Amino acid sequence: MKYILTLVFSLTFFQTILAQKPVYQQAYEAHENYREESINSRRFKHADVEPLLLRLRDEPGFSVSQLGTSIEGRPIYDVSVGIGDTQVLMWSQMHGNEPTATMAGLDLFNFLVADDQFDELREEILSNLTLHFVPMLNPDGAEVFERRNAIDIDLNRDALRLTSPESRILKNIRDSLDADFGFNLHDQSTYYTAGINEEPATISFLPPAYNYEKDVNEVREKAMQMIVQLNEALQYYVPGQVARYNDDFEPRAFGDNIQKWGTSTVLIESGGYPRDPEKQEIRKLNFMLLLTALHAIATESYTERDREAYWEIPENERYLYDLVVRNVQREMNGNFYTVDVGINRVEIEFDENQDFFYVSSIRELGDMSTYYGYEDFDAEGMVAVPGKIYPELQSDLRAVTELNTKKLLRNGYTTVRVEDIEGQEKIRQQLTLDVIGLEAEPEYELLLGNRPNFILEKNGKPRYAVVNGFLREL
Ligand SMILES: [Zn+2]
Protein backbone atom coordinates (compact mmCIF):
# COMPACT_ATOMS: atom_id res chain seq x y z
CA MET A 1 0.00 0.00 0.00
CA LYS A 2 2.78 2.32 0.94
CA TYR A 3 4.44 1.65 -2.43
CA ILE A 4 1.25 2.28 -4.35
CA LEU A 5 0.80 5.56 -2.57
CA THR A 6 4.39 6.48 -3.36
CA LEU A 7 3.78 5.58 -7.00
CA VAL A 8 0.62 7.66 -7.21
CA PHE A 9 2.37 10.50 -5.50
CA SER A 10 5.34 10.27 -7.89
CA LEU A 11 3.12 10.29 -10.98
CA THR A 12 1.24 13.34 -9.78
CA PHE A 13 4.52 14.95 -8.88
CA PHE A 14 5.97 14.37 -12.35
CA GLN A 15 2.79 15.54 -14.03
CA THR A 16 3.02 18.76 -12.07
CA ILE A 17 6.64 19.16 -13.08
CA LEU A 18 5.70 18.62 -16.74
CA ALA A 19 2.87 21.09 -16.56
CA GLN A 20 5.16 23.65 -14.98
CA LYS A 21 7.84 23.46 -17.61
CA PRO A 22 8.08 26.99 -18.98
CA VAL A 23 6.83 27.56 -22.51
CA TYR A 24 10.31 28.35 -23.83
CA GLN A 25 11.52 24.94 -22.67
CA GLN A 26 8.52 23.16 -24.17
CA ALA A 27 9.08 25.01 -27.44
CA TYR A 28 12.79 24.24 -27.60
CA GLU A 29 12.31 20.56 -26.80
CA ALA A 30 9.47 20.08 -29.27
CA HIS A 31 11.07 21.98 -32.14
CA GLU A 32 12.20 18.90 -34.04
CA ASN A 33 8.55 17.85 -34.50
CA TYR A 34 7.72 21.04 -36.36
CA ARG A 35 10.97 21.67 -38.20
CA GLU A 36 10.24 22.35 -41.89
CA GLU A 37 12.23 19.51 -43.36
CA SER A 38 12.47 20.80 -46.91
CA ILE A 39 14.80 23.58 -45.79
CA ASN A 40 18.08 22.65 -44.16
CA SER A 41 20.57 25.36 -45.04
CA ARG A 42 20.64 29.12 -45.44
CA ARG A 43 20.66 29.57 -49.20
CA PHE A 44 17.03 28.81 -50.02
CA LYS A 45 15.01 31.01 -52.31
CA HIS A 46 11.56 32.45 -52.80
CA ALA A 47 10.60 29.46 -54.95
CA ASP A 48 11.37 27.17 -52.01
CA VAL A 49 9.32 29.19 -49.54
CA GLU A 50 6.30 30.20 -51.64
CA PRO A 51 4.65 26.74 -51.89
CA LEU A 52 5.05 26.27 -48.13
CA LEU A 53 3.13 29.50 -47.58
CA LEU A 54 0.45 28.86 -50.19
CA ARG A 55 -0.40 25.45 -48.74
CA LEU A 56 -1.35 27.20 -45.49
CA ARG A 57 -4.37 28.55 -47.34
CA ASP A 58 -6.01 25.17 -46.77
CA GLU A 59 -5.48 25.28 -43.04
CA PRO A 60 -8.44 26.31 -40.89
CA GLY A 61 -7.93 29.70 -39.30
CA PHE A 62 -5.07 30.66 -41.60
CA SER A 63 -5.18 33.30 -44.27
CA VAL A 64 -2.38 33.92 -46.74
CA SER A 65 -2.66 37.11 -48.70
CA GLN A 66 -0.37 38.65 -51.26
CA LEU A 67 0.69 42.10 -50.16
CA GLY A 68 2.42 43.02 -53.41
CA THR A 69 5.51 42.03 -55.33
CA SER A 70 9.22 42.73 -55.13
CA ILE A 71 10.97 44.78 -57.83
CA GLU A 72 11.65 41.61 -59.80
CA GLY A 73 8.03 40.54 -59.45
CA ARG A 74 8.17 37.98 -56.66
CA PRO A 75 5.00 37.90 -54.55
CA ILE A 76 5.35 38.90 -50.91
CA TYR A 77 2.84 37.34 -48.53
CA ASP A 78 1.27 37.95 -45.18
CA VAL A 79 0.53 34.75 -43.28
CA SER A 80 -2.12 35.49 -40.72
CA VAL A 81 -3.66 33.40 -37.96
CA GLY A 82 -5.48 34.08 -34.70
CA ILE A 83 -8.62 35.88 -33.61
CA GLY A 84 -7.37 38.03 -30.74
CA ASP A 85 -7.45 41.81 -30.52
CA THR A 86 -3.70 42.25 -30.05
CA GLN A 87 -2.04 42.63 -33.42
CA VAL A 88 1.44 41.12 -33.73
CA LEU A 89 3.52 41.76 -36.84
CA MET A 90 6.66 39.76 -37.61
CA TRP A 91 8.80 40.14 -40.71
CA SER A 92 11.96 38.33 -41.72
CA GLN A 93 14.77 38.56 -44.25
CA MET A 94 14.42 42.22 -45.12
CA HIS A 95 18.11 41.62 -45.82
CA GLY A 96 18.29 38.84 -48.40
CA ASN A 97 21.24 36.99 -46.87
CA GLU A 98 19.72 36.89 -43.36
CA PRO A 99 17.46 33.85 -43.51
CA THR A 100 17.52 32.29 -40.04
CA ALA A 101 14.20 33.67 -38.85
CA THR A 102 12.49 32.73 -42.13
CA MET A 103 13.37 29.12 -41.38
CA ALA A 104 12.08 29.52 -37.82
CA GLY A 105 8.90 31.15 -39.13
CA LEU A 106 8.18 28.14 -41.33
CA ASP A 107 8.67 25.92 -38.28
CA LEU A 108 6.33 28.17 -36.32
CA PHE A 109 3.62 27.78 -38.99
CA ASN A 110 4.04 24.00 -38.77
CA PHE A 111 3.58 24.27 -35.04
CA LEU A 112 0.50 26.42 -35.32
CA VAL A 113 -1.28 24.14 -37.80
CA ALA A 114 -0.61 20.99 -35.79
CA ASP A 115 -3.16 19.29 -33.60
CA ASP A 116 -1.50 17.59 -30.62
CA GLN A 117 -0.60 17.93 -26.94
CA PHE A 118 0.07 21.64 -27.41
CA ASP A 119 -3.54 22.48 -28.37
CA GLU A 120 -4.05 24.38 -25.15
CA LEU A 121 -1.01 26.54 -25.78
CA ARG A 122 -2.13 27.27 -29.35
CA GLU A 123 -5.60 28.12 -28.16
CA GLU A 124 -4.21 30.46 -25.53
CA ILE A 125 -2.07 32.26 -28.12
CA LEU A 126 -4.52 32.39 -31.01
CA SER A 127 -7.52 33.50 -28.98
CA ASN A 128 -5.60 36.41 -27.49
CA LEU A 129 -3.71 37.74 -30.46
CA THR A 130 -3.65 37.87 -34.23
CA LEU A 131 -0.33 37.06 -35.82
CA HIS A 132 0.75 38.53 -39.15
CA PHE A 133 4.03 37.13 -40.41
CA VAL A 134 5.71 38.42 -43.57
CA PRO A 135 8.46 35.91 -44.36
CA MET A 136 11.28 36.90 -46.74
CA LEU A 137 10.46 40.55 -47.26
CA ASN A 138 13.39 40.83 -49.68
CA PRO A 139 13.06 37.83 -52.04
CA ASP A 140 15.20 39.45 -54.76
CA GLY A 141 18.10 39.77 -52.33
CA ALA A 142 17.53 36.20 -51.16
CA GLU A 143 17.75 35.03 -54.78
CA VAL A 144 21.41 36.08 -54.94
CA PHE A 145 21.99 35.75 -51.17
CA GLU A 146 22.75 39.43 -50.75
CA ARG A 147 21.76 41.98 -48.16
CA ARG A 148 20.28 44.56 -50.50
CA ASN A 149 17.40 44.38 -52.95
CA ALA A 150 17.38 44.36 -56.77
CA ILE A 151 18.25 48.07 -57.05
CA ASP A 152 20.96 47.64 -54.45
CA ILE A 153 19.35 49.65 -51.72
CA ASP A 154 19.21 48.66 -48.07
CA LEU A 155 15.50 48.32 -47.26
CA ASN A 156 16.33 49.12 -43.67
CA ARG A 157 17.29 52.65 -44.74
CA ASP A 158 14.15 53.16 -46.79
CA ALA A 159 11.52 53.59 -44.08
CA LEU A 160 11.10 57.31 -44.81
CA ARG A 161 11.54 57.59 -48.56
CA LEU A 162 9.75 54.30 -49.26
CA THR A 163 11.19 54.17 -52.75
CA SER A 164 11.10 50.39 -53.03
CA PRO A 165 7.91 48.28 -53.19
CA GLU A 166 9.17 45.96 -50.45
CA SER A 167 9.44 48.95 -48.10
CA ARG A 168 5.96 50.17 -48.96
CA ILE A 169 4.60 46.68 -48.30
CA LEU A 170 6.03 46.71 -44.79
CA LYS A 171 4.86 50.26 -44.10
CA ASN A 172 1.35 49.52 -45.39
CA ILE A 173 0.80 46.40 -43.34
CA ARG A 174 2.14 48.10 -40.20
CA ASP A 175 -0.24 50.99 -40.72
CA SER A 176 -3.27 48.93 -41.68
CA LEU A 177 -2.92 46.80 -38.53
CA ASP A 178 -1.64 49.58 -36.32
CA ALA A 179 0.23 46.64 -34.82
CA ASP A 180 0.74 46.45 -31.07
CA PHE A 181 3.96 44.45 -31.38
CA GLY A 182 6.56 44.24 -34.15
CA PHE A 183 9.40 41.73 -34.51
CA ASN A 184 12.12 42.76 -36.94
CA LEU A 185 14.06 39.58 -37.66
CA HIS A 186 17.65 39.69 -38.91
CA ASP A 187 21.02 37.96 -38.94
CA GLN A 188 24.23 39.62 -37.83
CA SER A 189 27.93 38.91 -38.21
CA THR A 190 29.11 35.69 -36.59
CA TYR A 191 32.16 37.65 -35.35
CA TYR A 192 30.10 39.63 -32.86
CA THR A 193 30.51 38.82 -29.19
CA ALA A 194 28.32 39.34 -26.14
CA GLY A 195 30.60 41.85 -24.44
CA ILE A 196 34.39 41.85 -24.47
CA ASN A 197 35.01 38.13 -24.31
CA GLU A 198 35.01 34.96 -26.37
CA GLU A 199 31.25 34.31 -26.21
CA PRO A 200 29.60 34.76 -29.59
CA ALA A 201 26.53 37.00 -29.66
CA THR A 202 24.32 34.10 -30.71
CA ILE A 203 21.29 36.35 -30.34
CA SER A 204 21.32 40.13 -30.04
CA PHE A 205 18.37 42.33 -29.22
CA LEU A 206 17.40 45.93 -29.69
CA PRO A 207 14.32 47.89 -28.71
CA PRO A 208 15.07 50.61 -31.29
CA ALA A 209 15.08 54.23 -30.18
CA TYR A 210 12.41 56.48 -31.68
CA ASN A 211 14.31 59.74 -31.21
CA TYR A 212 17.87 60.99 -30.87
CA GLU A 213 17.37 61.41 -27.12
CA LYS A 214 16.69 57.66 -26.84
CA ASP A 215 13.70 58.32 -24.61
CA VAL A 216 11.73 55.42 -23.23
CA ASN A 217 7.98 55.78 -23.60
CA GLU A 218 5.34 53.15 -22.96
CA VAL A 219 5.74 51.68 -26.45
CA ARG A 220 9.48 51.22 -26.16
CA GLU A 221 9.23 50.06 -22.56
CA LYS A 222 7.10 47.09 -23.61
CA ALA A 223 9.76 46.13 -26.16
CA MET A 224 12.39 46.30 -23.40
CA GLN A 225 10.30 44.15 -21.08
CA MET A 226 9.78 41.63 -23.85
CA ILE A 227 13.53 41.46 -24.43
CA VAL A 228 14.13 40.92 -20.71
CA GLN A 229 11.77 37.95 -20.82
CA LEU A 230 13.25 36.51 -24.01
CA ASN A 231 16.73 36.89 -22.58
CA GLU A 232 15.72 34.81 -19.55
CA ALA A 233 14.73 32.00 -21.91
CA LEU A 234 17.95 32.24 -23.90
CA GLN A 235 20.17 32.19 -20.82
CA TYR A 236 18.89 28.67 -20.18
CA TYR A 237 20.30 27.42 -23.50
CA VAL A 238 23.08 29.82 -24.45
CA PRO A 239 24.23 31.42 -21.19
CA GLY A 240 26.37 34.48 -21.78
CA GLN A 241 25.72 34.45 -25.53
CA VAL A 242 23.12 37.21 -25.68
CA ALA A 243 23.94 40.85 -26.40
CA ARG A 244 22.18 44.14 -26.94
CA TYR A 245 22.70 46.24 -30.02
CA ASN A 246 23.76 49.85 -30.08
CA ASP A 247 20.56 51.85 -29.66
CA ASP A 248 21.57 55.04 -31.47
CA PHE A 249 18.59 56.44 -33.34
CA GLU A 250 18.70 55.82 -37.10
CA PRO A 251 15.99 58.00 -38.61
CA ARG A 252 15.80 56.01 -41.86
CA ALA A 253 15.54 52.52 -40.34
CA PHE A 254 12.32 50.55 -40.07
CA GLY A 255 12.71 49.39 -36.49
CA ASP A 256 13.21 52.93 -35.24
CA ASN A 257 10.26 54.27 -37.21
CA ILE A 258 7.91 51.44 -36.40
CA GLN A 259 8.67 52.06 -32.72
CA LYS A 260 7.96 55.75 -33.37
CA TRP A 261 4.68 54.93 -35.13
CA GLY A 262 3.46 53.25 -31.93
CA THR A 263 4.27 49.57 -32.40
CA SER A 264 6.42 48.06 -29.63
CA THR A 265 9.32 46.83 -31.72
CA VAL A 266 11.89 44.17 -30.94
CA LEU A 267 14.85 43.61 -33.22
CA ILE A 268 16.22 40.08 -33.06
CA GLU A 269 19.62 39.44 -34.64
CA SER A 270 20.83 35.89 -35.14
CA GLY A 271 24.62 35.75 -34.90
CA GLY A 272 27.06 32.90 -34.54
CA TYR A 273 27.13 29.60 -32.72
CA PRO A 274 30.16 27.30 -32.71
CA ARG A 275 30.17 24.66 -35.45
CA ASP A 276 26.79 25.76 -36.79
CA PRO A 277 27.59 27.36 -40.15
CA GLU A 278 24.09 26.73 -41.51
CA LYS A 279 22.56 28.16 -38.35
CA GLN A 280 20.28 25.24 -37.61
CA GLU A 281 20.79 25.47 -33.85
CA ILE A 282 20.10 29.20 -34.00
CA ARG A 283 16.99 28.46 -36.07
CA LYS A 284 15.80 26.32 -33.17
CA LEU A 285 16.51 29.15 -30.72
CA ASN A 286 14.57 31.51 -33.01
CA PHE A 287 11.59 29.16 -33.04
CA MET A 288 11.74 29.08 -29.26
CA LEU A 289 11.94 32.88 -29.10
CA LEU A 290 9.03 33.50 -31.48
CA LEU A 291 6.77 31.10 -29.65
CA THR A 292 7.84 32.44 -26.26
CA ALA A 293 7.13 35.99 -27.44
CA LEU A 294 3.67 35.08 -28.71
CA HIS A 295 2.84 33.38 -25.44
CA ALA A 296 4.21 36.34 -23.48
CA ILE A 297 1.98 38.71 -25.45
CA ALA A 298 -1.07 36.47 -25.11
CA THR A 299 -0.65 36.19 -21.34
CA GLU A 300 0.92 39.65 -20.85
CA SER A 301 3.64 37.95 -18.81
CA TYR A 302 6.21 40.40 -20.20
CA THR A 303 4.56 43.21 -18.22
CA GLU A 304 5.90 41.62 -15.03
CA ARG A 305 9.49 42.20 -16.18
CA ASP A 306 11.64 45.06 -14.98
CA ARG A 307 12.70 47.06 -18.01
CA GLU A 308 15.89 48.14 -16.26
CA ALA A 309 17.15 44.54 -16.47
CA TYR A 310 17.56 45.22 -20.18
CA TRP A 311 20.68 47.29 -19.46
CA GLU A 312 22.33 44.33 -17.74
CA ILE A 313 22.59 42.51 -21.07
CA PRO A 314 26.17 42.95 -22.38
CA GLU A 315 26.70 45.13 -25.40
CA ASN A 316 27.36 43.76 -28.87
CA GLU A 317 31.11 43.81 -29.51
CA ARG A 318 33.33 42.30 -32.16
CA TYR A 319 36.05 40.15 -30.66
CA LEU A 320 35.88 36.92 -32.65
CA TYR A 321 37.70 35.46 -35.63
CA ASP A 322 37.19 32.08 -37.24
CA LEU A 323 40.71 30.97 -36.33
CA VAL A 324 43.36 32.58 -34.16
CA VAL A 325 46.84 31.06 -34.24
CA ARG A 326 48.83 32.45 -31.33
CA ASN A 327 52.51 33.02 -30.61
CA VAL A 328 53.73 32.21 -34.09
CA GLN A 329 57.39 32.93 -34.85
CA ARG A 330 57.72 34.59 -38.22
CA GLU A 331 61.05 35.41 -39.81
CA MET A 332 62.06 38.49 -41.76
CA ASN A 333 65.61 39.34 -42.86
CA GLY A 334 67.04 36.86 -40.40
CA ASN A 335 65.11 38.19 -37.42
CA PHE A 336 62.20 36.47 -35.69
CA TYR A 337 59.03 38.17 -34.48
CA THR A 338 56.21 36.75 -32.37
CA VAL A 339 52.73 37.39 -33.79
CA ASP A 340 49.20 36.14 -33.34
CA VAL A 341 47.35 35.55 -36.61
CA GLY A 342 43.62 36.32 -36.97
CA ILE A 343 41.98 34.46 -39.83
CA ASN A 344 38.48 34.73 -41.27
CA ARG A 345 36.82 32.50 -43.83
CA VAL A 346 34.82 34.13 -46.59
CA GLU A 347 32.04 32.23 -48.33
CA ILE A 348 32.36 32.19 -52.14
CA GLU A 349 29.13 31.15 -53.79
CA PHE A 350 28.37 28.83 -56.68
CA ASP A 351 25.46 26.81 -58.07
CA GLU A 352 23.36 29.98 -58.52
CA ASN A 353 24.17 31.15 -54.99
CA GLN A 354 22.86 27.95 -53.46
CA ASP A 355 26.19 26.64 -52.25
CA PHE A 356 29.61 27.94 -51.25
CA PHE A 357 33.25 27.16 -50.61
CA TYR A 358 35.61 29.06 -48.34
CA VAL A 359 38.41 31.39 -49.29
CA SER A 360 40.23 32.60 -46.20
CA SER A 361 42.21 35.67 -45.47
CA ILE A 362 44.56 37.00 -42.78
CA ARG A 363 42.58 39.79 -41.10
CA GLU A 364 44.81 40.67 -38.14
CA LEU A 365 48.42 40.26 -37.03
CA GLY A 366 50.17 41.14 -33.79
CA ASP A 367 49.10 40.99 -30.17
CA MET A 368 45.60 39.49 -30.24
CA SER A 369 45.49 38.65 -26.54
CA THR A 370 42.18 40.51 -26.21
CA TYR A 371 40.63 38.68 -29.18
CA TYR A 372 39.32 35.16 -29.58
CA GLY A 373 38.83 32.51 -32.21
CA TYR A 374 35.98 30.05 -32.71
CA GLU A 375 39.06 27.88 -33.11
CA ASP A 376 41.99 29.05 -31.07
CA PHE A 377 45.42 27.44 -31.34
CA ASP A 378 48.60 28.18 -29.41
CA ALA A 379 51.63 27.71 -31.68
CA GLU A 380 54.12 28.53 -28.93
CA GLY A 381 57.60 27.48 -30.02
CA MET A 382 56.63 27.04 -33.67
CA VAL A 383 57.90 28.86 -36.72
CA ALA A 384 55.56 29.71 -39.58
CA VAL A 385 56.98 28.87 -42.99
CA PRO A 386 54.99 30.22 -45.96
CA GLY A 387 53.31 27.46 -47.97
CA LYS A 388 54.79 26.48 -51.36
CA ILE A 389 53.09 25.76 -54.66
CA TYR A 390 53.40 22.15 -55.79
CA PRO A 391 55.53 22.15 -58.97
CA GLU A 392 53.46 19.56 -60.87
CA LEU A 393 50.60 21.22 -62.68
CA GLN A 394 47.31 19.29 -62.28
CA SER A 395 44.66 19.15 -64.98
CA ASP A 396 41.65 19.79 -62.73
CA LEU A 397 40.35 19.55 -59.18
CA ARG A 398 39.56 15.86 -59.45
CA ALA A 399 43.27 15.24 -60.07
CA VAL A 400 44.03 17.15 -56.86
CA THR A 401 41.90 14.71 -54.86
CA GLU A 402 44.25 11.91 -56.02
CA LEU A 403 47.32 13.54 -54.49
CA ASN A 404 48.78 12.46 -51.15
CA THR A 405 47.75 15.49 -49.15
CA LYS A 406 49.64 14.74 -45.98
CA LYS A 407 52.86 14.03 -47.85
CA LEU A 408 52.60 17.28 -49.77
CA LEU A 409 51.92 19.27 -46.62
CA ARG A 410 54.84 17.64 -44.80
CA ASN A 411 57.01 18.78 -47.70
CA GLY A 412 55.70 22.33 -47.36
CA TYR A 413 53.25 22.35 -50.28
CA THR A 414 49.94 23.92 -49.27
CA THR A 415 48.80 24.81 -52.75
CA VAL A 416 48.30 23.08 -56.08
CA ARG A 417 48.07 24.83 -59.42
CA VAL A 418 45.41 23.46 -61.76
CA GLU A 419 44.76 24.09 -65.43
CA ASP A 420 41.00 24.07 -65.10
CA ILE A 421 39.74 25.44 -61.79
CA GLU A 422 36.23 26.44 -62.93
CA GLY A 423 33.04 24.45 -62.61
CA GLN A 424 34.22 21.93 -60.01
CA GLU A 425 33.29 23.89 -56.90
CA LYS A 426 31.62 20.88 -55.31
CA ILE A 427 35.04 19.22 -55.27
CA ARG A 428 36.79 22.41 -54.19
CA GLN A 429 34.51 22.54 -51.14
CA GLN A 430 36.01 19.22 -49.93
CA LEU A 431 39.70 19.81 -50.67
CA THR A 432 42.27 19.81 -47.91
CA LEU A 433 44.85 21.46 -50.18
CA ASP A 434 44.45 24.97 -51.50
CA VAL A 435 44.17 25.43 -55.26
CA ILE A 436 44.99 28.21 -57.70
CA GLY A 437 44.48 28.70 -61.43
CA LEU A 438 47.11 29.18 -64.15
CA GLU A 439 47.38 32.95 -63.82
CA ALA A 440 47.52 33.37 -60.05
CA GLU A 441 50.77 34.55 -58.45
CA PRO A 442 49.91 34.33 -54.77
CA GLU A 443 52.01 35.51 -51.86
CA TYR A 444 51.87 33.45 -48.67
CA GLU A 445 54.00 35.58 -46.39
CA LEU A 446 52.23 36.28 -43.09
CA LEU A 447 50.85 39.63 -44.15
CA LEU A 448 47.41 41.21 -43.98
CA GLY A 449 45.02 40.18 -46.73
CA ASN A 450 47.07 37.15 -47.79
CA ARG A 451 45.55 33.72 -47.93
CA PRO A 452 46.61 31.87 -44.78
CA ASN A 453 48.76 29.05 -46.18
CA PHE A 454 51.68 28.18 -43.95
CA ILE A 455 53.40 25.30 -42.20
CA LEU A 456 54.08 25.41 -38.47
CA GLU A 457 57.45 23.85 -37.74
CA LYS A 458 58.88 22.87 -34.39
CA ASN A 459 62.64 22.26 -34.26
CA GLY A 460 62.65 22.23 -38.06
CA LYS A 461 59.93 19.57 -38.29
CA PRO A 462 56.48 20.24 -39.75
CA ARG A 463 53.87 19.82 -37.03
CA TYR A 464 50.78 21.63 -38.28
CA ALA A 465 49.62 23.23 -41.48
CA VAL A 466 47.23 26.12 -41.97
CA VAL A 467 45.67 25.67 -45.39
CA ASN A 468 43.20 28.24 -46.66
CA GLY A 469 42.46 29.15 -43.06
CA PHE A 470 41.95 25.62 -41.73
CA LEU A 471 44.33 24.10 -39.20
CA ARG A 472 45.58 20.55 -39.89
CA GLU A 473 47.76 18.38 -37.72
CA LEU A 474 50.58 16.73 -39.67
ZN1 LIG B 1 19.78 42.77 -41.28
Side-chain angles (χ1 to χ4, degrees), residues 95 98 147 186-187 269:
H95 294 138
E98 299 179 6
R147 175 183 180 88
H186 290 250
D187 283 76
E269 296 270 1

Side-chain angles (χ1 to χ4, degrees), residues 303-322:
T303 60
E304 294 153 21
R305 266 65 186 183
D306 175 11
R307 83 174 193 213
E308 292 306 314
Y310 169 76
W311 302 109
E312 290 161 21
I313 301 174
E315 283 186 82
N316 234 28
E317 305 282 356
R318 189 183 172 116
Y319 280 88
L320 269 170
Y321 288 79
D322 285 317

Side-chain angles (χ1 to χ4, degrees), residues 16-35:
T16 314
I17 292 278
L18 282 176
Q20 282 175 346
K21 223 176 225 190
V23 165
Y24 69 79
Q25 215 170 320
Q26 297 179 44
Y28 183 89
E29 287 169 11
H31 172 255
E32 203 51 39
N33 301 334
Y34 308 106
R35 193 175 177 284

Side-chain angles (χ1 to χ4, degrees), residues 230-416:
L230 296 179
N231 180 47
E232 288 167 17
L234 281 170
Q235 291 303 326
Y236 189 79
Y237 294 104
V238 282
Q241 291 172 227
V242 184
R244 63 184 161 90
Y245 235 82
N246 179 312
D247 71 341
D248 286 347
F249 180 56
E250 167 48 74
R252 304 165 301 162
F254 263 103
D256 306 52
N257 280 289
I258 290 179
Q259 194 91 273
K260 185 173 169 180
W261 299 329
T263 296
S264 296
T265 305
V266 174
L267 175 80
I268 302 181
E269 296 270 1
S270 294
Y273 186 87
R275 294 172 296 282
D276 185 25
E278 293 301 339
K279 294 195 153 186
Q280 297 304 301
E281 176 62 23
I282 309 181
R283 164 192 191 162
K284 187 176 188 171
L285 292 170
N286 265 252
F287 170 81
M288 180 274 278
L289 286 175
L290 298 182
L291 199 49
T292 303
L294 292 178
H295 183 255
I297 294 168
T299 58
E300 298 190 336
S301 56
Y302 69 92
T303 60
E304 294 153 21
R305 266 65 186 183
D306 175 11
R307 83 174 193 213
E308 292 306 314
Y310 169 76
W311 302 109
E312 290 161 21
I313 301 174
E315 283 186 82
N316 234 28
E317 305 282 356
R318 189 183 172 116
Y319 280 88
L320 269 170
Y321 288 79
D322 285 317
L323 171 65
V324 176
V325 185
R326 299 186 188 275
N327 302 309
V328 172
Q329 296 291 313
R330 65 100 74 217
E331 185 262 1
M332 186 173 270
N333 300 330
N335 294 316
F336 284 87
Y337 304 88
T338 305
V339 294
D340 303 332
V341 187
I343 292 165
N344 281 349
R345 300 165 187 152
V346 179
E347 298 177 355
I348 307 291
E349 284 158 353
F350 65 94
D351 191 16
E352 297 179 329
N353 308 294
Q354 292 176 103
D355 209 342
F356 70 95
F357 58 85
Y358 288 112
V359 168
S360 300
S361 157
I362 298 176
R363 308 308 299 174
E364 185 54 290
L365 288 162
D367 177 1
M368 293 184 65
S369 51
T370 54
Y371 287 82
Y372 308 89
Y374 276 99
E375 290 171 59
D376 215 295
F377 179 72
D378 190 355
E380 177 79 51
M382 297 187 207
V383 176
V385 179
K388 295 184 294 183
I389 298 166
Y390 188 52
E392 288 177 32
L393 179 68
Q394 303 294 308
S395 57
D396 59 12
L397 297 188
R398 193 163 297 284
V400 177
T401 64
E402 311 283 314
L403 297 171
N404 184 336
T405 302
K406 215 155 214 184
K407 192 172 162 198
L408 259 62
L409 290 175
R410 285 202 181 114
N411 287 303
Y413 300 112
T414 56
T415 307
V416 180

